[in-house]
């Protein structure tokens, strides 16, 4: 279980650590030092050791870190030992791209359901991978049949809060939002934001300075 007092910066690196240990294990690397992990992450070894210290003794002095053991540890920590179903709200340009992104090729997660406005021409159809697309008015009905706690939100900014309210009422506990607005949700609902415009602007800033 993830400790409550782990800093957000550390928590955000957990998936990256998992990816690195999966790659090392696939390359038949038995052990790795904090320096090797840091180089792969683009951070310093002290940060790696500090991050890992929140979880007890993950490595051994003079040996380093057992890559298979750490791969399994992070898989368990991130819930990647069993398939996690998520749903997509908004089948616009970004939504359609995500529907065709093969999440399960890298991790054990998949989009199981998609929703859009009831009058969208795609409602009532399925993607080439068999993902059904439903009208938003039937969201609660379908969630009752397929328990899902996580949603990806790719709707216009003007609709984001309205849809978030529907998701919260339906029992969704985690939202990954591509809408650049701050969503008002209860404290027990977690929201992560993906703002492509801000990320690109930040990149350009560093390029120009």
């Amino acid at each position: 279980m993830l400790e409550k007092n782990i800093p957000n910066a550390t928590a955000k690196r957990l998936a990256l650590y998992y990816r690195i240990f999966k790659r090392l294990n696939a390359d038949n690397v038995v052990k790795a030092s904090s320096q090797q992990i840091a180089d792969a992450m683009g951070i310093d070894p002290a940060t790696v050791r500090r991050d890992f210290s929140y979880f007890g003794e993950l490595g051994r002095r003079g040996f380093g870190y057992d890559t298979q053991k750490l791969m399994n540890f992070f898989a368990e920590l991130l819930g990647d030992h069993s398939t996690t179903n998520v749903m997509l709200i908004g089948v616009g340009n970004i939504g359609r791209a995500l529907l065709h992104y093969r999440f399960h090729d890298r991790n054990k997660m998949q989009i199981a359901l998609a929703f859009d406005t009831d009058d969208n021409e795609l409602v009532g159809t399925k993607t080439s991978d068999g993902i059904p697309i439903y009208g938003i008015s039937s969201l609660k009905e379908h969630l009752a049949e397929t328990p899902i706690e996580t949603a990806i939100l790719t709707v216009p900014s003007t609709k984001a809060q309205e849809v978030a309210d529907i998701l919260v009422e339906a029992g969704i506990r985690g939202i990954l939002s591509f809408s650049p607005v701050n969503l008002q949700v209860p404290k027990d609902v977690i929201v992560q934001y993906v703002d492509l415009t801000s990320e690109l602007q930040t990149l350009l800033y560093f390029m120009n300075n």
Side-chain angles (χ1 to χ4, degrees):
M1 295 292 292
L2 188 61
E3 296 293 340
K4 296 292 185 182
N5 59 350
I6 289 178
N8 287 339
T10 296
K12 289 180 178 180
R13 285 191 286 268
L14 299 181
L16 298 178
Y17 286 129
Y18 179 38
R19 182 188 304 170
I20 288 169
F21 281 111
K22 283 202 300 183
R23 185 172 70 241
L24 291 171
N25 189 65
D27 291 340
N28 296 315
V29 176
V30 175
K31 62 180 180 179
S33 66
S34 57
Q35 183 67 61
Q36 288 174 292
I37 299 166
D39 289 343
M41 291 278 290
I43 57 179
D44 61 272
T47 299
V48 173
R49 292 191 292 270
R50 184 170 62 251
D51 285 348
F52 287 5
S53 70
Y54 291 107
F55 304 99
E57 296 294 329
L58 297 184
R60 301 201 310 269
R61 185 178 297 276
F63 176 85
Y65 300 95
D66 183 312
T67 58
Q68 185 173 33
K69 177 182 175 181
L70 269 292
M71 178 187 71
N72 291 332
F73 172 81
F74 284 108
E76 183 70 28
L77 190 67
L78 296 168
D80 202 44
H81 278 317
S82 58
T83 299
T84 299
N85 289 325
V86 303
M87 66 184 205
L88 174 74
I89 313 295
V91 192
N93 292 332
I94 294 177
R96 286 196 296 273
L98 290 173
L99 281 175
H100 292 94
Y101 184 79
R102 304 183 68 84
F103 291 94
H104 52 278
D105 284 351
R106 297 186 178 185
N107 299 90
K108 293 182 179 179
M109 62 181 71
Q110 62 184 10
I111 295 177
L113 306 172
F115 295 87
D116 209 300
T117 55
D118 291 344
D119 59 355
N120 187 303
E121 61 183 11
L122 293 176
V123 169
T125 67
K126 292 184 178 182
T127 68
S128 57
D129 288 331
I131 303 170
I133 302 173
Y134 300 112
I136 190 71
S137 63
S138 65
L139 188 146
K140 288 185 181 180
E141 172 191 343
H142 289 292
L143 275 189
E145 299 172 353
T146 309
I148 293 177
E149 296 183 321
T150 308
I152 302 174
L153 191 61
T154 62
V155 300
S157 300
T158 54
K159 294 291 185 180
Q161 185 61 57
E162 177 185 345
V163 175
D165 292 341
I166 295 173
L167 294 176
V168 170
E169 187 178 349
I172 291 297
R173 297 178 55 241
I175 300 173
L176 179 65
S177 177
F178 282 78
S179 300
V181 293
N182 186 43
L183 300 176
Q184 302 300 314
V185 298
K187 291 182 179 180
D188 60 344
V189 176
I190 306 299
V191 180
Q192 290 285 334
Y193 297 94
V194 179
D195 190 336
L196 299 178
T197 300
S198 293
E199 293 297 331
L200 181 56
Q201 289 175 329
T202 301
L203 171 64
L204 294 174
Y205 168 79
F206 285 117
M207 290 171 60
N208 295 324
N209 293 275

